[in-house]
């Protein structure tokens, strides 16, 4: 399935991002269409996280253009980009360590001033029952898996149209990875949530995604449907073989 | 014994004022990791606002109730001092954010000099007195020819401090603004990703710290009956020491540190030497920084993400 007709929800065009004088993204083009799960895979240091953060304007792209629903967001500050209902579970999860699970979720719902908080929190507890058990525990004391669930739930509390996830499977036990990927699939299928997923765990990501991109050293080197890339010998050699899945 | 109890009462009064100022240091440090050296002078300016508006209200506008006048004066001073601090942050600190670490610090020292020199020029170099505001004094007990007293001023200072701290605690712990503030303190970048306007939250932190300093300034003026352009320095140092002693970044720590410093200052003045109060405070600052840099209620740095 490669339904890429119509205008993209997120369009990244020729984006170059630098850290000081060091270039991290060397002209990246990526499209994410409404209702799609798109994954970006690549080795450590390829620039995946940088791309996620560049979409949020932190750091800003030095060249190129990022549009969301046709609106240019390249120079917007992060908090205004969040207001367009793009939510991110960033690299490292970035749970507020000295806030409780409840407060972390409340932070996720900041945009609507907690108007839908109770209703939405209930949905999160269905998705991740563990969070309900840990409600008054400080974020910093959660296990890695729980923190990941909280990071995703916190992002979802913003009622996003586009959910961006940076390596949600990193460091987690296979069972929890499955649980998280099932949740993503479910949200996409039932609510049409658009997902942009960065992964090193290429096997699961490619199986989940409608479309995929491969990034090497700040450049997109390959793109296709999830299945195409899963069967591609180069991808298999570089990201799948070695038996990590 | 009587003298000791009396100094305890005096120390808690003074400590309340220090605690209110110390919160401004600790909050700003918590959110942007900067020691706001101009905060003591902002406190001093707030006492001048209080003085000016107290005179305007009582002498020109004929407000006869001192308590009413004090409440109005406190609110006006909180607003004006909040605006002043907002402007200072915008002009002197925000443009330097992301610059090298010492830049905002140097700018803050500059701001401190600007404020005290401006007041010196505008208000003169001498002590500015107010007419006595609140005179009632209650004798608690009288023994060995020494009367332990509690003045209405002291009751007002302690009561106002408790009420404000409670309100402030509620604001920080339970409201969206307080939550946003704590979020920015723990991970500014993440707070931005969640739609929090980080710059605005930092501004409001300065405003809140300044408003509490203005409460302290009004109480200080009422307590001593005079204010002087250099009055930002010593209380500023004392309050900063209080914030460090309590654990910089910690709100309860700032209050606890304020009380301790107030007590140490008065007891030192009584039993050791009235002339070397600031030396005592500086010594504590140095000792704390060397042996207990995280303070009494501060958290060890490792918890920082
Ligand atoms: N904050 C930073 N400052 C400087 N260089 C960085 C920073 N973050 C990432 N980089 C560099 O940018 C490149 C891409 O990193 P990153 O986007 O984290 O890759 P990935 O997420 O694919 O592992 C790497 O070479 C990394 O060292
Ligand atoms: Mg990464």
């Amino acid at each position: 399935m490669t339904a890429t007709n119509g205008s993209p929800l997120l369009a990244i065009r020729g984006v170059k991002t630098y850290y000081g004088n060091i270039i991290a993204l060397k002209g990246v083009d990526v499209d994410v269409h409404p209702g799609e799960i798109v994954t970006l895979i690549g080795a450590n240091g390829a620039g995946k996280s940088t791309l996620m953060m560049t979409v949020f304007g932190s750091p800003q792209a030095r060249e190129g253009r990022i549009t969301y629903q046709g609106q240019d967001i390249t120079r917007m500050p992060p908090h205004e980009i969040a207001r367009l209902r793009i939510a991110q579970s960033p690299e490292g999860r970035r749970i507020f360590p000295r806030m409780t699970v409840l407060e972390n979720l409340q932070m996720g719902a900041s945009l609507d001033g907690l108007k839908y908080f109770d209703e939405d929190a209930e949905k999160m507890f269905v998705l991740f029952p563990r969070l309900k058990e840990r409600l008054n525990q400080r974020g910093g004391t959660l296990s890695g898996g729980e923190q990941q669930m909280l990071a995703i739930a916190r992002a979802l509390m913003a009622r996003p149209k586009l959910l961006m996830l940076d390596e949600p499977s990193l460091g987690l036990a296979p069972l929890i990875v499955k649980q998280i990927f099932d949740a993503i699939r479910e949200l996409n299928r039932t609510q049409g949530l658009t997902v942009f997923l960065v992964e090193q765990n290429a096997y699961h990501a490619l199986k989940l995604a409608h479309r995929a991109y491969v990034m090497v050293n700040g450049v997109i080197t390959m793109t296709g449907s999830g299945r195409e890339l899963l069967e591609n010998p180069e991808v298999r050699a570089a990201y799948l073989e070695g038996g990590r899945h | 014994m009587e003298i000791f109890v009396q100094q305890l009462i005096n120390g808690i009064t003074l400590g309340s004022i220090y605690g209110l100022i110390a919160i401004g240091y600790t909050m700003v440090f918590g959110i942007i990791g900067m020691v706001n050296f101009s905060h003591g002078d902002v406190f001093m300016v707030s006492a001048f606002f209080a003085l000016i508006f107290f005179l305007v209200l009582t002498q020109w506008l004929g407000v006869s109730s001192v308590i009413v006048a004090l409440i109005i004066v406190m609110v006006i001073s909180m607003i004006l001092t909040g605006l002043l601090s907002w402007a200072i942050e915008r002009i002197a600190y925000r443009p330097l954010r992301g610059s090298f670490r010492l830049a905002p610090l140097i700018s803050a020292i500059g701001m401190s000099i600007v404020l005290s020199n401006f007041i010196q020029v505008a208000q003169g170099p001498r002590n500015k007195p107010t007419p006595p505001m609140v005179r009632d004094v209650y004798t608690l007990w009288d023994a060995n020819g020494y009367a332990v007293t509690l003045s209405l001023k002291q009751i007002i200072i302690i009561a106002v401090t408790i009420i404000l701290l409670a309100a402030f605690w509620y604001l920080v712990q339970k409201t969206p603004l307080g939550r946003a503030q704590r979020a920015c303190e723990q991970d500014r970048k993440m707070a931005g990703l969640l739609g929090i306007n980080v710059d605005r939250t930092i501004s409001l932190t300065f405003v809140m710290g300044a408003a509490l300093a203005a409460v302290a300034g009004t109480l200080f003026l009422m307590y001593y009956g005079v204010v002087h352009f250099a009055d930002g320095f010593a209380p500023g140092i004392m309050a900063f020491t209080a914030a460090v002693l309590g654990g910089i970044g910690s709100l309860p720590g700032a209050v606890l540190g304020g009380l301790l410093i107030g007590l140490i200052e008065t007891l030192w003045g009584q039993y050791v030497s009235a002339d070397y109060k600031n030396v005592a405070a500086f010594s504590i600052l140095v000792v704390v920084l060397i042996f207990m840099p995280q303070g009494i209620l501060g958290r060890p740095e490792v918890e920082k993400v």
Side-chain angles (χ1 to χ4, degrees):
Chain A
M1 168 181 159
T2 29
T4 54
N5 301 324
S7 58
L9 184 64
L10 177 73
I12 300 169
R13 291 284 175 275
V15 159
K16 295 188 184 174
T17 301
Y18 290 74
Y19 292 109
N21 293 321
I22 300 163
I23 187 163
L25 299 180
K26 302 170 183 167
V28 171
D29 297 281
V30 167
D31 279 343
V32 181
H33 292 263
E36 269 190 319
I37 301 178
V38 172
T39 189
L40 173 66
I41 60 175
N44 206 358
K48 306 181 297 297
S49 299
T50 302
L51 182 63
M52 298 289 260
M53 293 309 291
T54 303
V55 170
F56 259 95
S58 169
Q60 283 187 354
R62 197 175 291 179
E63 281 175 46
R65 214 167 111 90
I66 302 171
T67 60
Y68 178 74
Q69 294 182 310
Q71 182 181 1
D72 190 337
I73 62 169
T74 323
R75 299 275 170 264
M76 264 192 198
H79 68 271
E80 282 178 23
I81 293 172
R83 275 180 207 152
L84 302 173
R85 306 289 160 166
I86 309 180
Q88 179 167 179
S89 164
E91 172 161 60
R93 300 156 190 148
R94 306 190 88 137
I95 296 303
F96 299 112
R98 293 181 300 282
M99 285 189 172
T100 63
V101 168
L102 178 69
E103 287 175 320
N104 270 281
L105 291 175
Q106 287 173 332
M107 283 309 298
S110 297
L111 292 177
D112 291 313
L114 305 188
K115 209 185 322 167
Y116 311 107
F117 184 80
D118 293 333
E119 179 190 333
D120 288 356
E122 277 312 315
K123 288 185 198 154
M124 293 309 127
F125 301 148
V126 173
L127 212 52
F128 303 118
R130 284 299 276 279
L131 294 183
K132 190 166 187 173
E133 296 163 27
R134 299 273 183 268
L135 208 55
N136 293 312
Q137 197 171 318
R138 284 177 164 215
T141 65
L142 299 178
S143 73
E146 289 164 348
Q147 287 197 354
Q148 190 60 62
M149 292 175 198
L150 179 55
I152 296 173
R154 181 179 62 183
L156 287 170
M157 290 302 286
R159 303 195 148 201
K161 289 197 207 100
L162 172 61
L163 176 67
M164 311 216 307
L165 303 172
D166 195 339
E167 302 209 39
S169 73
L170 189 71
L172 302 188
L175 200 68
I176 297 174
V177 174
K178 184 176 179 319
Q179 197 186 339
I180 286 175
F181 276 43
D182 285 348
I184 297 168
R185 184 181 288 116
E186 191 64 19
L187 286 163
N188 173 260
R189 200 160 46 202
T190 59
Q191 296 170 31
L193 180 68
T194 309
V195 180
F196 185 23
L197 172 70
V198 160
E199 264 299 344
Q200 274 194 73
N201 193 336
Y203 177 73
H204 285 289
L206 291 175
K207 282 196 74 166
L208 177 69
H210 301 127
R211 285 193 309 114
Y213 293 85
V214 177
M215 183 182 269
V216 177
N217 276 330
V219 181
I220 300 290
T221 55
M222 237 184 283
T223 176
S225 72
R227 175 157 318 150
E228 277 162 17
L229 290 195
L230 208 48
E231 285 160 4
N232 181 298
E234 278 179 60
V235 173
R236 294 192 71 89
Y239 304 105
L240 295 172
E241 262 129 43
R244 269 200 303 120
H245 55 274
Chain B
M1 172 64 192
E2 284 74 24
I3 293 177
F4 181 74
V5 173
Q6 184 66 63
Q7 293 306 340
L8 228 49
I9 294 172
N10 297 349
I12 290 171
T13 309
L14 191 58
S16 300
I17 292 177
Y18 290 158
L20 287 170
I21 309 173
I23 287 176
Y25 282 110
T26 224
M27 283 183 73
V28 165
F29 186 86
I31 204 159
I32 53 172
M34 167 195 158
V35 178
N36 181 9
F37 276 117
S38 71
H39 189 57
D41 293 281
V42 167
F43 155 80
M44 176 273 295
V45 173
S46 83
F48 272 94
F49 283 142
L51 171 71
I52 292 165
F53 283 95
F54 187 79
L55 293 178
V56 167
L57 282 178
T58 54
Q59 319 265 298
W60 293 2
L61 299 178
V63 175
S64 55
S65 161
V66 169
I67 295 297
V68 170
L70 272 175
I71 292 172
I72 298 174
V73 158
M74 185 179 290
V75 171
I76 293 176
S77 181
M78 285 169 83
I79 294 169
L80 292 180
T81 310
L83 286 174
L84 173 69
S85 184
W86 178 82
I88 291 175
E89 193 271 335
R90 283 306 293 264
I91 296 166
Y93 306 152
R94 191 183 295 181
L96 297 171
R97 216 173 286 151
S99 174
F100 66 106
R101 260 187 84 82
L102 281 180
L105 222 64
I106 294 165
S107 188
I109 292 170
M111 242 17 258
S112 158
I113 295 169
V114 167
L115 289 175
S116 62
N117 283 4
F118 174 75
I119 294 293
Q120 182 180 10
V121 171
Q123 296 292 317
R126 250 165 286 185
N127 268 338
K128 285 276 172 182
T130 59
M133 297 180 179
V134 184
R135 286 186 239 221
D136 309 47
V137 177
Y138 312 105
T139 302
L140 295 183
W141 82 82
D142 202 334
N144 314 323
Y146 188 89
V148 178
T149 61
L150 179 65
S151 67
L152 184 56
K153 287 193 289 198
Q154 292 176 317
I155 296 173
I156 292 174
I157 289 173
I158 294 166
V160 167
T161 303
I162 291 171
I163 293 167
L164 267 149
L165 288 181
F168 183 73
W169 185 251
Y170 179 83
L171 176 71
V172 170
Q173 291 300 321
K174 299 290 177 202
T175 66
L177 171 61
R179 216 164 27 238
Q181 236 162 12
R182 284 181 291 135
C184 289
E185 198 183 309
Q186 294 174 35
D187 189 341
R188 240 197 281 176
K189 193 161 181 174
M190 189 64 226
L193 297 188
L194 294 172
I196 301 299
N197 185 337
V198 174
D199 281 339
R200 192 172 139 258
T201 307
I202 292 172
S203 285
L204 286 172
T205 303
F206 273 84
V207 170
M208 281 161 62
L212 288 180
V215 173
T218 309
L219 296 174
F220 178 91
L221 180 73
M222 177 192 76
Y223 196 45
Y224 293 110
V226 291
V227 59
H228 179 247
F229 77 93
D231 275 343
F233 182 72
I237 291 289
M238 294 293 182
F240 174 63
T241 307
V244 174
L245 176 63
I248 195 140
S250 157
L251 292 180
V255 178
L256 177 67
L259 287 175
L260 287 175
I261 292 293
L263 286 169
I264 291 167
E265 183 181 327
T266 46
L267 294 175
W268 182 281
Q270 176 69 41
Y271 295 109
V272 186
S273 152
D275 292 334
Y276 289 96
K277 289 190 302 197
N278 294 358
V279 175
F282 271 120
S283 311
I284 292 166
L285 185 58
V286 170
V287 169
V288 170
L289 284 175
I290 293 172
F291 294 106
M292 208 175 50
Q294 79 276 16
I296 299 169
L297 297 179
R299 48 181 191 276
E301 269 307 301
V302 284
E303 216 194 319
K304 272 232 155 124
V305 277

